[in-house]
């Protein structure tokens, strides 16, 4: 049964991407963590033991390893970082999901992806799932950090990421949605229940 936007107080749904539109069983998340540690070792000169601890500490303190490295003064562009971390991912582990596509097609509200990942990663993931055309808009790292991808000056543009309020304000503005009429979906879509039952 199709979900009618007239029967719902919501006219937009904002979906997270990673471990939401595709399952954690793909192993992408584990590979991202491994690639971040390799970046810390190969590009920043940290030891293996330092890289593991630093990745966790920077994530907890700054919201991402990239944000933490830049806050600590490392001369790293977002393009270089994302190219290394996402450029080595096993995207072939993400399979087309016909059930998910059918589910998304029954939802009549505007569907928007909001991810902290870069645009290339978002597009590749959605392409692999076969659902890119199900979304009206993709809000990604570049959307909420428009001046950052090529900047090496950490003091010039601090990184914004969700769940920060500033990142959400930019995303809501970019999507042109009313937050009071928007649902945010961060869990596995298979658990999506717009009726609240």
């Amino acid at each position: 049964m199709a979900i009618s936007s007239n029967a719902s107080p919501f006219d937009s749904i904002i979906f997270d991407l990673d471990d939401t539109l595709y399952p954690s069983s793909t192993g992408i998340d584990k590979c991202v963590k491994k690639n971040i540690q390799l970046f810390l070792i190969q590009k920043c000169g940290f030891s293996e033991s330092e890289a593991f601890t630093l990745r966790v500490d920077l994530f907890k303190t700054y919201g991402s390893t990239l944000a933490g490295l830049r806050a600590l003064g490392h001369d790293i562009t977002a393009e270089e970082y994302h190219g290394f971390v996402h450029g080595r991912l096993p995207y072939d582990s993400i399979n087309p999901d016909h059930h998910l596509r059918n589910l998304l097609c029954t939802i009549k509200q505007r569907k928007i992806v909001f991810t902290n990942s870069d645009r290339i990663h978002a597009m590749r993931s959605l392409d692999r799932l076969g659902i890119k055309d199900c979304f009206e808009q993709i809000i990604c790292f570049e959307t909420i950090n428009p001046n950052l991808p090529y900047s090496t000056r950490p003091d010039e543009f601090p990184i914004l990421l969700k769940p920060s309020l500033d990142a959400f304000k930019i995303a809501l503005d970019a999507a042109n949605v009313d937050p009071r009429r928007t649902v945010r979906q961060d869990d596995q879509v298979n658990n999506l229940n717009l009726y609240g039952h």
Side-chain angles (χ1 to χ4, degrees):
M1 173 195 284
I3 299 171
S4 167
S5 58
N6 294 332
S8 171
F10 303 107
D11 53 28
S12 303
I13 304 174
I14 296 180
F15 292 84
D16 188 24
L17 171 63
D18 301 303
D19 296 335
T20 298
L21 292 174
Y22 64 83
S24 58
S25 61
T26 61
I28 295 289
D29 184 53
K30 288 180 184 176
C31 290
V32 166
K33 290 175 182 173
K34 177 184 166 196
N35 291 346
I36 291 171
Q37 286 171 211
L38 285 173
F39 185 89
L40 291 169
I41 294 165
Q42 295 177 15
K43 301 291 185 179
C44 301
F46 294 101
S47 70
E48 269 188 60
S49 59
E50 288 173 321
F52 174 80
T53 304
L54 187 61
R55 177 185 62 77
V56 173
D57 290 346
L58 292 177
F59 179 79
K60 286 180 179 177
T61 305
Y62 298 97
S64 79
T65 305
L66 174 60
L69 287 171
R70 288 176 58 88
L72 296 175
H74 288 268
D75 185 21
I76 296 165
T77 66
E79 181 184 44
E80 174 188 16
Y81 178 82
H82 289 135
F84 187 100
V85 171
H86 293 147
R88 302 162 174 236
L89 292 177
Y91 287 101
D92 57 351
S93 68
I94 302 175
N95 296 313
D97 190 333
H98 304 293
H99 175 72
L100 174 59
R101 181 176 180 78
N102 290 338
L103 173 65
L104 290 169
C105 287
T106 67
I107 299 171
K108 300 306 178 194
Q109 287 86 355
R110 290 178 63 207
K111 294 174 287 294
I112 300 157
V113 171
F114 179 23
T115 178
N116 281 334
S117 297
D118 67 309
R119 183 167 298 283
I120 292 171
H121 171 71
M123 299 298 266
R124 288 187 75 181
S125 300
L126 294 170
D127 273 341
R128 289 292 304 171
L129 285 163
I131 59 171
K132 185 173 71 173
D133 63 324
C134 293
F135 295 95
E136 181 179 309
Q137 190 173 6
I138 299 168
I139 297 170
C140 58
F141 181 88
E142 292 89 344
T143 312
I144 53 177
N145 297 282
N147 298 312
L148 191 69
Y150 305 100
S151 169
T152 57
R153 290 187 48 205
D155 57 332
E156 188 176 18
F157 301 111
I159 291 178
L160 289 177
L161 298 168
K162 61 180 177 168
S164 89
L165 188 56
D166 289 336
F168 274 105
K169 285 179 182 174
I170 292 169
L172 291 170
D173 187 51
N176 193 27
V177 297
D178 179 347
R180 295 166 297 186
R181 296 186 47 80
T182 303
V183 174
R184 185 174 139 214
Q185 183 61 34
D186 288 293
D187 297 325
Q188 291 265 328
V189 172
N190 293 338
N191 297 326
L192 180 64
N193 187 339
L194 292 178
Y195 295 113
H197 296 148

